[in-house]
């Protein structure tokens, strides 16, 4: 199996998605990829235990991708060895009536991880510069001051929104949130095959929606919006990684590898030391327990 070079997937400059591969297998079989993921996620699970005991950082994992990109199965497989109390998954759908009473970042802010935990955003605050940019009429439902018609949603509006998102991420990063942002890069042909599978397999019918076909027709528009979002918001404290997603097993290994490699650099995340008095009396505590009879 070829070595995974995680930096190759990081966005540091202008990005052209059509020039980036959507497939990777590292010259490995499915069995080898599955074994590699198992080893990495075991280490991630152990790190999360230490993160929880340390209690000063939280980890935010943002997953974006076109329909069928594999976000749900990636979450299931990558975080399988986590303590259930250590990871919370949030799937953001169309904003509710209550959520529309607040600014667009509010529902994401209240879903941020507690210190010591991971939060996974299945679709993220970036929907607000992706779906809404393809369908600007959705913005009108946000009831924003000075936005009355589609003409008010101009270049200045989007500049402001990118700035707000960057400010949001900088703020949370400066307050102990470690941020990962992954774009699952799927080919149009692979999406076609996955949509067909949802139709052909009865057990997957529930996943299919005619809206998927409507959005598919807007593929090129979405690609332009993704490229701009990636370019404008990939920062040192909140980097974007473009992950080839046609091969689900390899995509999971890439995401897990990127997280583990980055998290290992936080040398200050260690289990806390016991109180000196408790530590000095550990032997006596052990003897007390060993003397107990059942």
């Amino acid at each position: 199996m070829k070595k995974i070079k995680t930096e190759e997937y990081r966005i540091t400059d202008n990005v052209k998605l059509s020039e980036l591969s959507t497939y990777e297998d590292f010259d490995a079989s499915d069995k080898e990829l599955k074994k590699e993921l198992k080893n990495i996620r075991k280490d991630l699970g152990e790190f999360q235990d230490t993160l929880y005991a340390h209690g000063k950082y939280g980890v935010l994992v943002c997953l974006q991708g076109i329909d069928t990109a594999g976000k749900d199965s990636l979450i299931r497989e990558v975080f399988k060895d986590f303590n259930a109390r250590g990871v919370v998954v949030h799937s953001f759908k169309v904003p509710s009536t209550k959520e529309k009473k607040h600014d667009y970042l509010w529902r994401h802010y209240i879903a941020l991880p507690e210190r010591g935990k991971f939060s996974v955003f299945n679709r993220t605050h970036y929907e607000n510069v992706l779906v809404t940019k393809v369908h600007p009429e959705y913005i009108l439902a946000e009831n924003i001051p000075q936005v009355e018609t589609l003409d008010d949603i101009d270049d200045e509006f989007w500049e402001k929104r990118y700035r707000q998102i960057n400010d949001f991420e900088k703020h949370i990063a400066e307050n102990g949130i470690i941020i990962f942002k992954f774009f699952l890069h799927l080919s149009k042909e692979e999406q076609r095959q996955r949509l067909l599978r949802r139709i052909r397999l009865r057990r997957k019918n529930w996943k299919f929606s005619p809206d998927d076909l409507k959005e598919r027709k807007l593929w090129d528009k979405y690609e332009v919006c993704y490229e701009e979002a990636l370019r404008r918001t990939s920062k040192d404290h909140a980097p974007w990684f473009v992950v080839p997603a046609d091969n689900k097993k390899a995509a999971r290994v890439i995401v897990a590898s990127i997280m583990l490699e980055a998290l290992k650099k936080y040398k200050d995340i260690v289990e806390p030391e016991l109180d000196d008095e408790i530590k000095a009396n550990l032997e006596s505590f052990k003897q007390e327990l060993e003397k107990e009879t059942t």
Side-chain angles (χ1 to χ4, degrees), residues 50-281:
T50 302
L51 183 83
Y52 185 84
H54 183 247
K56 291 187 177 181
Y57 290 93
V59 179
L60 174 63
V61 181
C62 298
L63 297 176
Q64 279 291 155
I66 208 79
D67 292 324
T68 77
K71 297 182 291 296
D72 290 332
S73 60
L74 185 148
I75 293 168
R76 182 187 68 236
E77 295 300 323
V78 170
F79 297 94
K80 187 177 286 186
D81 289 341
F82 275 52
N83 186 313
R85 71 181 180 181
V87 59
V88 181
V89 179
H90 302 272
S91 295
F92 293 103
K93 308 295 184 183
V94 176
S96 67
T97 300
K98 180 178 177 63
E99 289 168 344
K100 287 179 181 177
K101 295 290 186 182
H102 297 269
D103 71 272
Y104 69 96
L105 286 172
W106 176 80
R107 64 175 180 160
H108 303 285
Y109 195 92
I110 62 174
L112 290 173
E114 298 175 15
R115 299 188 191 281
K117 294 188 178 184
F118 280 62
S119 280
V120 182
F121 285 4
N122 183 347
R123 296 191 184 276
T124 72
H125 44 293
Y126 283 94
E127 293 290 288
N128 298 284
V129 289
L130 295 168
V131 174
T132 55
K133 208 164 186 189
V134 175
H135 299 283
E137 64 273 15
Y138 294 171
I139 295 289
L140 300 180
E142 295 183 22
N143 293 318
I144 304 171
Q146 285 82 53
V147 178
E148 303 295 337
T149 70
L150 291 180
D151 290 337
D152 297 321
I153 307 171
D154 53 13
D155 289 345
E156 185 179 351
F157 173 89
W158 295 114
E159 288 286 343
K160 184 186 299 183
R161 189 150 281 198
Y162 287 124
R163 176 181 57 77
Q164 291 165 347
I165 288 174
N166 282 325
D167 288 347
F168 165 67
E169 292 177 351
K170 184 177 181 181
H171 168 71
I172 64 175
E174 290 176 345
N175 283 275
I177 302 294
I178 301 168
I179 305 169
F180 295 98
K181 300 184 298 192
F182 299 104
F183 171 59
L184 302 186
H185 186 28
L186 191 72
S187 68
K188 195 172 184 180
E189 172 59 20
E190 180 62 22
Q191 189 200 49
R192 187 177 76 89
Q193 294 297 335
R194 292 183 186 182
L195 288 172
L196 281 170
R197 201 171 301 129
R198 289 181 177 183
I199 295 172
R200 289 168 177 162
L201 298 179
R202 188 170 180 178
R203 63 186 175 83
K204 291 186 178 289
N205 284 171
W206 66 273
K207 288 186 173 183
F208 179 77
S209 168
D211 287 341
D212 294 339
L213 300 185
K214 293 178 183 177
E215 293 300 288
R216 180 175 165 80
K217 289 180 172 65
L218 300 170
W219 184 280
D220 292 342
K221 286 187 177 181
Y222 273 107
E223 190 166 89
V224 170
C225 292
Y226 267 112
E227 288 173 349
E228 185 167 15
L230 294 169
R231 174 172 60 85
R232 288 177 175 266
T233 63
S234 191
K235 308 294 181 182
D236 287 342
H237 58 273
W240 271 109
F241 295 88
V242 174
V243 178
D246 283 5
N247 182 346
K248 287 186 177 183
K249 289 182 174 60
R252 296 163 190 164
V253 171
I254 293 168
V255 168
S257 298
I258 289 170
M259 287 196 295
L260 183 61
E261 183 178 298
L263 292 171
K264 279 183 173 180
K265 295 177 182 178
Y266 286 81
K267 302 302 183 184
D268 57 327
I269 300 179
V270 294
E271 294 175 359
E273 291 285 337
L274 282 173
D275 178 90
D276 288 343
E277 184 176 348
I278 295 176
K279 190 187 297 186
N281 288 284

